Amino acid sequence: MDSLFDSAAEEARRGHEPLAVRMRPRGLDEVIGQRHLLGPGTPLRRLVEAEAPMSLFLWGPPGTGKTTLAYVVAGVTKRRFVEVSAVSAGVKEVRAAIEQARRELGMSGRQTVLFVDEVHRFNKAQQDALLPAVENRWVTFIGATTENPFFSVISPLLSRSLLLTLESLSEEDIRGVLERATADPRGLDGRVRLAPEAVDHLVRLAGGDARRSLTYLEAAALIADDEITVEVVERAVDKAAVRYDRQGDQHYDVVSAFIKSMRGSDADAALHYLARMVEAGEDPRFIARRIVIFASEDVGMADPTCLQVAVAAAQAVEFIGLPEGRLNLAQAVVHCALAPKSNAVITAIDAAAQDVRRGDIGPVPAHLRDAHYPGARGLGHGEGYRYPHDFEHGLVRQDYAPAELRDRRYYRPTRHGAEAAFADRWSRIRAFLRGDR
């Protein structure tokens, strides 16, 4: 009778589990995405197939399958699964879980997967408590983190573990997750249809996060009659579907307006178009690349720090992803929009390139040519070169450009912002180098 009651309780529990939990893969072959971690011969595959104890850190954005992979490892290998949350657990709970795992291993030989979610939140004492279990392989330790473990995990623990990096799921991956959940008996079991436009909207809203896509799908299914449409999804998650085709006119129009708003120094308009792209599911790396280009093309030497901010924002987006990465993008957008503007850099390189394409190149002056290889000196290479650091102010008058291009002017700085100081300096240096009177 106990088993009947237990079975009924288990069925009731499953009925109340979130869709994302019900659809958790039962084996590696059911995992969608992360192909670089799941192929033949990969450490994760060997861990499952050889059933050898091993410690792992799974690092990646939310909703990419860190918890799922831990459950799969435990389920496929028939190990006990013990989950500890770094948000609420302390050293006492960690040691208790390890001690229980040691007893189980000694009495029955059964191994334990000790899964620590948000492991970067553990302090040094809590991480130290894990070391004996990892060192002696009393448990298969799996730590999940959204933060760079090199900054948040102690070196002894990291050096005894494999670090696996998870990637945001692609659009096709998210589509696969949604389609499976709609048809699978563990999911919606075909009770509702999912309109193609609704799939597109859910994919955009998910932003590479499988858990988020299933949460939104479940919310939409609760209020749908027999079909989940875009309008149903909008009502369910209280987010309007941004009409934005990443391959069509809307994509190019919004990007164009975004760049022109920054160029026109309208920070509010630029932020509007940034939000429009982010909410529509535009790749944040694409947005970051456009900002980096803008920093040199439209600001340049008028504010040299603009490029530093833009590159830092691009790196931050790669590091933390969305949604938090939008803050870094917004900061860079405001900086670029409010910076003094100059297109002198792009004008200069375009003018130089035009001369090169026309064939106006001329030979490299002999004193500037490489003189390191055997015989170069005999050809006169490097002869007469004057080393600027040997002279006052690090400047010495000599020809650098080919003779045919000696009087060409490419860089014509503006008087905008910091470029005014560079304009004055370049004017004096150029006059000195050319011997102008």
Tab-separated table of all heavy atoms in Angstrom, residues 11 14-15 19 22-23 26 179-191:
chain	number	residue	atom	x	y	z
A	11	GLU	N	2.869	11.123	-8.773
A	11	GLU	CA	2.104	11.617	-9.915
A	11	GLU	C	1.559	13.014	-9.649
A	11	GLU	O	1.571	13.886	-10.517
A	11	GLU	CB	0.932	10.657	-10.227
A	11	GLU	CG	1.338	9.385	-10.936
A	11	GLU	CD	1.920	9.677	-12.308
A	11	GLU	OE1	1.360	10.541	-13.013
A	11	GLU	OE2	2.934	9.060	-12.664
A	14	ARG	N	4.387	15.526	-9.923
A	14	ARG	CA	4.748	15.808	-11.305
A	14	ARG	C	3.729	16.702	-11.975
A	14	ARG	O	4.073	17.541	-12.809
A	14	ARG	CB	4.869	14.501	-12.094
A	14	ARG	CG	6.125	13.697	-11.764
A	14	ARG	CD	6.161	12.391	-12.522
A	14	ARG	NE	7.355	11.613	-12.194
A	14	ARG	CZ	7.524	10.358	-12.533
A	14	ARG	NH1	6.558	9.716	-13.204
A	14	ARG	NH2	8.630	9.728	-12.210
A	15	GLY	N	2.472	16.557	-11.614
A	15	GLY	CA	1.430	17.388	-12.215
A	15	GLY	C	1.560	18.850	-11.873
A	15	GLY	O	1.049	19.705	-12.592
A	19	LEU	N	6.664	23.429	-16.342
A	19	LEU	CA	6.920	22.785	-17.628
A	19	LEU	C	8.419	22.582	-17.854
A	19	LEU	O	8.838	21.545	-18.382
A	19	LEU	CB	6.328	23.644	-18.756
A	19	LEU	CG	6.501	23.122	-20.185
A	19	LEU	CD1	5.839	21.763	-20.344
A	19	LEU	CD2	5.933	24.132	-21.180
A	22	ARG	N	9.403	19.474	-15.990
A	22	ARG	CA	8.849	18.254	-16.601
A	22	ARG	C	9.586	17.883	-17.885
A	22	ARG	O	9.724	16.706	-18.207
A	22	ARG	CB	7.360	18.427	-16.890
A	22	ARG	CG	6.513	18.724	-15.677
A	22	ARG	CD	5.054	18.377	-15.907
A	22	ARG	NE	4.466	18.974	-17.087
A	22	ARG	CZ	3.902	20.187	-17.130
A	22	ARG	NH1	3.871	20.947	-16.029
A	22	ARG	NH2	3.364	20.647	-18.241
A	23	MET	N	10.057	18.891	-18.608
A	23	MET	CA	10.697	18.643	-19.897
A	23	MET	C	12.209	18.454	-19.779
A	23	MET	O	12.900	18.394	-20.780
A	23	MET	CB	10.404	19.804	-20.860
A	23	MET	CG	8.967	19.856	-21.331
A	23	MET	SD	8.422	18.290	-22.068
A	23	MET	CE	9.616	18.102	-23.373
A	26	ARG	N	16.151	13.329	-20.111
A	26	ARG	CA	16.441	12.148	-19.299
A	26	ARG	C	17.766	11.506	-19.695
A	26	ARG	O	18.235	10.592	-19.025
A	26	ARG	CB	15.310	11.141	-19.454
A	26	ARG	CG	13.991	11.609	-18.839
A	26	ARG	CD	12.804	10.838	-19.366
A	26	ARG	NE	12.581	11.081	-20.786
A	26	ARG	CZ	11.481	10.721	-21.439
A	26	ARG	NH1	10.509	10.107	-20.787
A	26	ARG	NH2	11.348	10.979	-22.729
A	179	GLU	N	9.013	23.160	-29.646
A	179	GLU	CA	8.252	22.155	-30.399
A	179	GLU	C	8.155	20.848	-29.617
A	179	GLU	O	7.100	20.206	-29.589
A	179	GLU	CB	8.913	21.929	-31.761
A	179	GLU	CG	8.747	23.117	-32.703
A	179	GLU	CD	9.641	23.031	-33.930
A	179	GLU	OE1	10.357	22.007	-34.054
A	179	GLU	OE2	9.618	23.969	-34.749
A	180	ARG	N	9.252	20.451	-28.971
A	180	ARG	CA	9.214	19.225	-28.180
A	180	ARG	C	8.245	19.363	-27.009
A	180	ARG	O	7.461	18.455	-26.734
A	180	ARG	CB	10.611	18.892	-27.669
A	180	ARG	CG	10.630	17.644	-26.784
A	180	ARG	CD	11.988	17.437	-26.128
A	180	ARG	NE	13.007	17.059	-27.091
A	180	ARG	CZ	14.282	16.896	-26.775
A	180	ARG	NH1	14.709	17.115	-25.541
A	180	ARG	NH2	15.161	16.530	-27.696
A	181	ALA	N	8.291	20.500	-26.322
A	181	ALA	CA	7.421	20.695	-25.159
A	181	ALA	C	5.955	20.739	-25.548
A	181	ALA	O	5.080	20.325	-24.782
A	181	ALA	CB	7.803	21.985	-24.440
A	182	THR	N	5.668	21.234	-26.736
A	182	THR	CA	4.277	21.307	-27.193
A	182	THR	C	3.717	19.921	-27.485
A	182	THR	O	2.545	19.634	-27.192
A	182	THR	CB	4.178	22.180	-28.459
A	182	THR	OG1	4.726	23.469	-28.197
A	182	THR	CG2	2.728	22.345	-28.897
A	183	ALA	N	4.531	19.031	-28.042
A	183	ALA	CA	4.040	17.716	-28.469
A	183	ALA	C	4.255	16.616	-27.440
A	183	ALA	O	3.471	15.658	-27.380
A	183	ALA	CB	4.728	17.331	-29.781
A	184	ASP	N	5.267	16.716	-26.605
A	184	ASP	CA	5.652	15.633	-25.703
A	184	ASP	C	4.591	15.384	-24.630
A	184	ASP	O	4.023	16.331	-24.080
A	184	ASP	CB	6.986	15.978	-25.032
A	184	ASP	CG	7.650	14.758	-24.408
A	184	ASP	OD1	7.148	14.307	-23.364
A	184	ASP	OD2	8.658	14.293	-24.955
A	185	PRO	N	4.304	14.103	-24.314
A	185	PRO	CA	3.347	13.804	-23.238
A	185	PRO	C	3.737	14.405	-21.895
A	185	PRO	O	2.873	14.699	-21.068
A	185	PRO	CB	3.365	12.268	-23.177
A	185	PRO	CG	3.801	11.846	-24.549
A	185	PRO	CD	4.763	12.890	-25.009
A	186	ARG	N	5.021	14.594	-21.645
A	186	ARG	CA	5.438	15.224	-20.391
A	186	ARG	C	5.144	16.717	-20.396
A	186	ARG	O	5.119	17.361	-19.337
A	186	ARG	CB	6.941	15.017	-20.161
A	186	ARG	CG	7.340	13.589	-19.872
A	186	ARG	CD	8.849	13.506	-19.705
A	186	ARG	NE	9.551	13.805	-20.934
A	186	ARG	CZ	10.797	14.259	-21.023
A	186	ARG	NH1	11.486	14.467	-19.905
A	186	ARG	NH2	11.363	14.494	-22.176
A	187	GLY	N	4.940	17.261	-21.592
A	187	GLY	CA	4.700	18.689	-21.727
A	187	GLY	C	3.232	18.986	-21.938
A	187	GLY	O	2.368	18.604	-21.143
A	188	LEU	N	2.947	19.662	-23.058
A	188	LEU	CA	1.553	20.044	-23.347
A	188	LEU	C	0.795	18.942	-24.058
A	188	LEU	O	-0.425	19.037	-24.233
A	188	LEU	CB	1.539	21.326	-24.188
A	188	LEU	CG	2.263	22.535	-23.560
A	188	LEU	CD1	2.132	23.763	-24.467
A	188	LEU	CD2	1.725	22.842	-22.173
A	189	ASP	N	1.503	17.914	-24.519
A	189	ASP	CA	0.877	16.705	-25.078
A	189	ASP	C	-0.053	17.014	-26.241
A	189	ASP	O	-1.085	16.368	-26.418
A	189	ASP	CB	0.121	15.957	-23.981
A	189	ASP	CG	-0.153	14.512	-24.366
A	189	ASP	OD1	0.517	14.012	-25.295
A	189	ASP	OD2	-1.029	13.885	-23.731
A	190	GLY	N	0.290	18.028	-27.043
A	190	GLY	CA	-0.505	18.346	-28.225
A	190	GLY	C	-1.857	18.963	-27.933
A	190	GLY	O	-2.709	19.044	-28.830
A	191	ARG	N	-2.107	19.401	-26.693
A	191	ARG	CA	-3.424	19.951	-26.350
A	191	ARG	C	-3.675	21.294	-27.023
A	191	ARG	O	-4.822	21.690	-27.211
A	191	ARG	CB	-3.545	20.108	-24.833
A	191	ARG	CG	-3.568	18.792	-24.070
A	191	ARG	CD	-3.914	19.000	-22.610
A	191	ARG	NE	-2.932	19.812	-21.925
A	191	ARG	CZ	-1.824	19.322	-21.361
A	191	ARG	NH1	-1.562	18.020	-21.442
A	191	ARG	NH2	-0.976	20.106	-20.742
